[in-house]
Amino acid sequence: MTAQAKTMISPAVLSANARQQIDHWVQKYPPDQKQSAVIAALTIVQDENGGWLTTELMDGVAAYLGMPKIAVYEVATFYTMFELEKVGRHKICVCTNISCMLCGSDEIMQHLKQKLGIDVGQTTEDGKFTLKSVECLAACGGAPMMQIGRDYHEHLTPQKVDDILAGLE
């Protein structure tokens, strides 16, 4: 990392804890390939920020990894796991790819919209839930499925969805 890049990062942008976790991932790659840790770095920073990324945080990741800001933005906007706007405490990602669709993800999505009173891409007024439609989550054998936080929920029915939601704080 250049001296200029180091001075651009302030502890207010990337916490000491985030930098320590990012350094753990950076060590897994050759010294000249530390930008390979960008997905891990964005995940760490997003988790610390309540589930979403600000431009300032993405710029901090870019500076810390010594890569162009636009390269970080490209990663953050390509992958559905990254959020550029504030999300609810529980982000519900419903797989709508072919296996899930054929097994009833449309019914699950409609049920969630009605139960939560929101549409895809929206957050409940109390800030508890955000609903997203996502492409394949690599759990086709458990279709239809959804991801809430880091947990996968498979073989969904409307009743199973209600039970899952009732168990969330």
Side-chain angles (χ1 to χ4, degrees):
M1 181 180 317
T2 66
Q4 180 184 11
K6 284 183 181 177
T7 61
M8 293 170 45
I9 300 170
S10 114
V13 176
L14 297 181
S15 72
N17 182 54
R19 291 190 309 270
Q20 181 180 13
Q21 289 182 62
I22 293 167
D23 288 345
H24 168 77
W25 284 96
V26 166
Q27 292 173 15
K28 295 176 183 275
Y29 302 100
D32 64 333
Q33 296 297 315
K34 63 183 172 184
Q35 73 275 10
S36 298
V38 67
I39 290 176
L42 288 171
T43 301
I44 291 162
V45 171
Q46 177 172 274
D47 287 350
E48 273 198 356
N49 195 49
W52 67 293
L53 295 166
T54 63
T55 301
E56 182 181 35
L57 289 171
M58 289 186 285
D59 291 351
V61 167
Y64 197 73
L65 296 178
M67 55 192 295
K69 293 177 188 179
I70 189 67
V72 174
Y73 303 161
E74 288 169 346
V75 172
T77 58
F78 180 79
Y79 292 102
T80 59
M81 63 189 167
F82 297 120
E83 299 297 332
L84 304 181
E85 295 179 8
K86 191 171 184 176
V87 294
R89 287 190 312 278
H90 304 287
K91 181 172 68 170
I92 303 170
C93 298
V94 179
C95 177
T96 56
N97 212 320
I98 189 73
S99 293
C100 286
M101 182 185 67
L102 292 173
C103 292
S105 66
D106 289 345
E107 177 188 6
I108 298 302
M109 184 64 84
Q110 189 59 35
H111 180 74
L112 281 162
K113 288 182 194 179
Q114 289 176 338
K115 180 159 187 74
L116 300 174
I118 59 174
D119 205 346
V120 174
Q122 295 180 333
T123 300
T124 56
E125 287 186 25
D126 62 1
K128 188 170 183 179
F129 298 105
T130 296
L131 183 60
K132 287 187 72 175
S133 171
V134 297
E135 288 299 316
C136 187
L137 289 168
C140 299
M145 63 87 58
M146 67 183 177
Q147 179 183 15
I148 302 177
R150 297 193 197 283
D151 297 324
Y152 274 27
H153 302 277
E154 300 177 340
H155 306 289
L156 296 173
T157 63
Q159 182 58 53
K160 191 170 181 181
V161 168
D162 290 348
D163 293 345
I164 292 165
L165 295 180
L168 298 173
E169 297 178 10

